Amino acid sequence: MSTDTEAPSHAPKNGFDRFFEITKRGSTLSREIRGGFVTFFTMAYIVVLNPLILAGGTDKTGAHLPLAALAAGTALVAGVMTIVMGVVARFPLALAAGLGVNALVAYEIAPEMTWADAMGLVVIEGVLIAILVLTGLRTAVFKAVPTQLKTAIGVGIGLFLMIIGLVDAGFVHRVPDAANTTVPVELGLGGKLMTWPTLVFAIGLLFTLILFVRKVKGAILIGILGTTVLAIVVEAIAKLGPSVTNPHGWSLNVPTLPEKIIDTPDLSLIGQFNVLNSWSDAGVLVVLMFIFTLLVTDFFDTMGTMVAVGQEGELLDSEGMPPRTREILLVDSVAAAAGGAASVSSNTSYVESASGVGEGARTGVANLVTGVLFLLAMFLAPLVKVVPFEAASTALVVVGFLMISTVRQIDWSDYTIAIPAFLTVTLMPFTYSISNGIGAGVISYVVLKAAVGKAREIHPLMYGIAVLFVLYYARGPLEAWIL
């Protein structure tokens, strides 16, 4: 929800306004620009993190992918596909390489084949999802999910965003496996907030919240920038460095002014994929299992993200559908294939887009801003690394708060919807997966409705979705048997 108090008139100001429906959706150009900047800052980490994840894996020949080329390709595909989403779907939903999927590609798929073969499977998965969109099946599945379950998906993603922000900022840490405790997570380090980066995050969050409740225009963006400035000052004095070398250091980006601002991008990985060899090298069953896992993850993660962003911007219709649903899903599908074609893993819609919507974005114009910033990041990679997790995470916590407010729309007196909603909401943050939450909600909804004799209330497609998720959850034993 925007903190902007501008009151735009209802008549479009020009053709650009009419095309993107800026005024029609109650927005302004300034809100869209600010929203685009905020979305970029909350997603910019992927330009650094995706290369680290993919470069950490090796294919069956022992080859590694080059970091510089991965960074440039990550920024390029994210920029292009985010702009395409803005122009074609006109929806404020940015895209980039998907976390979780990239780890699957790097550590499970690539070791069974070459990098080119692994990326070829990502291309195949993207094409398959695009076919499902064009045939209407993906949209039909989206419509089959009950409205209140869609609401729960948005609420769950709000909590998911919050825990992502808290973990990325170091406010919450995973307890080391060797620790003598049954508690999986803890406050700070050893249950204490004792690092400068955590203090920077806490101050930045309070600063952002004060701006937000005082309805300051651009509160979230100002919060990110202000926290970054504070982080730069702290790093200049304390010389903390990254957390990989200093437990009290910064989570990913170290907030220091770079020696150079512009760097030449390496685009050598573009087009380095193969869609045929994997079938003979790894075997048909292995390839099919990998494609199935990729497809289910992308398919339902996007559905949840689209609902969450639409809820935050109050852009959903009475059935819980965002405008131009088919176009959104089609662009997302093409992005998956584009990520594989560029050797940077499947690209998907980012739930962090909700941070830009929280700043006021309602249209594809925000995507134009975010996309251009990603393209500039190919050349300005040193500058992108200035903003630390501890600064960007403030936006995720604020937006998480905004998104859970829709929880009141769920009928908690009807257990056949309340329990599935509860499982959806809780399992997303607790399993760190949107798909896991949706799957639990869908399966429990179908089972509970049938158990109380209300099977006729279940859309026929929901049975198929439930079976699909049962297979998804059982993929561990299935992979062990197949592989």
Side-chain angles (χ1 to χ4, degrees), residues 51-63:
L52 292 178
I53 292 173
L54 289 176
T58 58
D59 66 8
K60 72 173 187 178
T61 68

Side-chain angles (χ1 to χ4, degrees), residues 43 86 95 154 182 328 376 409 458:
M43 290 177 58
L95 303 98
T182 57
I328 294 172
L376 290 176
Q409 298 176 13
I458 304 172

Side-chain angles (χ1 to χ4, degrees), residues 297-354:
T297 302
D298 269 351
F299 193 104
F300 290 100
D301 269 13
T302 298
M303 186 179 77
T305 300
M306 187 169 62
V307 169
V309 173
Q311 281 182 350
E312 172 61 17
E314 299 179 352
L315 297 173
L316 303 182
D317 60 21
S318 59
E319 296 182 338
M321 301 286 287
R324 302 177 70 83
T325 297
R326 186 170 183 268
E327 287 81 357
I328 294 172
L329 295 175
L330 182 59
V331 173
D332 181 85
S333 306
V334 172
S343 296
V344 295
S345 184
S346 175
N347 272 231
T348 188
S349 300
Y350 258 57
V351 71
E352 283 89 342
S353 304

Side-chain angles (χ1 to χ4, degrees), residues 120-460:
L121 294 190
V122 176
V123 173
I124 293 172
E125 175 253 336
V127 171
L128 288 176
I129 296 182
I131 292 173
L132 294 178
V133 175
L134 294 173
T135 57
L137 181 60
R138 197 177 187 189
T139 305
V141 167
F142 186 71
K143 289 182 176 180
V145 177
T147 301
Q148 291 192 62
L149 202 53
K150 291 176 185 173
T151 300
I153 290 170
V155 174
I157 290 177
L159 291 177
F160 187 31
L161 278 178
M162 183 198 70
I163 196 169
I164 288 173
L166 294 177
V167 170
D168 286 351
F171 198 87
V172 171
H173 269 92
R174 183 179 69 84
V175 177
D177 294 334
N180 186 25
T181 177
T182 57
V183 179
V185 293
E186 63 184 5
L187 179 70
L189 289 174
K192 301 175 183 177
L193 298 176
M194 54 189 298
T195 69
W196 281 108
T198 304
L199 178 61
V200 168
F201 164 74
I203 294 174
L205 177 59
L206 289 174
F207 172 60
T208 306
L209 291 172
I210 291 170
L211 295 175
F212 182 80
V213 298
R214 291 181 64 86
K215 302 186 184 301
V216 174
K217 295 179 182 179
I220 296 176
L221 179 57
I222 295 171
I224 293 174
L225 296 178
T227 309
T228 299
V229 171
L230 176 60
I232 292 172
V233 173
V234 169
E235 174 60 23
I237 297 172
K239 306 293 184 183
L240 300 170
S243 59
V244 293
T245 58
N246 174 15
H248 292 185
W250 306 93
S251 296
L252 182 64
N253 292 345
V254 178
T256 57
L257 296 177
E259 295 180 1
K260 60 179 180 178
I261 296 178
I262 299 176
D263 203 0
T264 304
D266 177 359
L267 302 177
S268 60
L269 288 176
I270 305 298
Q272 300 298 314
F273 69 96
N274 190 309
V275 298
L276 299 176
N277 288 350
S278 58
W279 299 87
S280 57
D281 289 352
V284 174
L285 287 178
V286 172
V287 169
L288 288 177
M289 179 57 68
F290 283 144
I291 292 175
F292 172 76
T293 303
L294 288 169
L295 191 147
V296 171
T297 302
D298 269 351
F299 193 104
F300 290 100
D301 269 13
T302 298
M303 186 179 77
T305 300
M306 187 169 62
V307 169
V309 173
Q311 281 182 350
E312 172 61 17
E314 299 179 352
L315 297 173
L316 303 182
D317 60 21
S318 59
E319 296 182 338
M321 301 286 287
R324 302 177 70 83
T325 297
R326 186 170 183 268
E327 287 81 357
I328 294 172
L329 295 175
L330 182 59
V331 173
D332 181 85
S333 306
V334 172
S343 296
V344 295
S345 184
S346 175
N347 272 231
T348 188
S349 300
Y350 258 57
V351 71
E352 283 89 342
S353 304
S355 62
V357 175
E359 190 56 74
R362 295 293 182 273
T363 76
V365 176
N367 275 38
L368 304 185
V369 176
T370 303
V372 168
L373 290 173
F374 266 119
L375 295 179
L376 290 176
M378 288 194 301
F379 303 91
L380 303 175
L383 197 59
V384 171
K385 296 178 183 179
V386 172
V387 181
F389 266 170
E390 288 78 4
S393 294
T394 58
L396 301 182
V397 176
V398 174
V399 173
F401 156 73
L402 293 172
M403 293 177 65
I404 68 170
S405 62
T406 57
V407 71
R408 61 183 179 274
Q409 298 176 13
I410 299 171
D411 182 3
W412 296 102
S413 64
D414 180 358
Y415 289 171
T416 62
I417 190 63
I419 292 175
F422 169 74
L423 292 174
T424 299
V425 168
T426 55
L427 287 182
M428 281 189 196
F430 293 151
T431 65
Y432 241 61
S433 168
I434 294 174
S435 290
N436 287 345
I438 295 175
V442 168
I443 293 173
S444 59
Y445 174 81
V446 170
V447 170
L448 294 179
K449 282 289 186 182
V452 297
K454 296 182 178 180
R456 291 186 178 181
E457 295 181 12
I458 304 172
H459 192 289

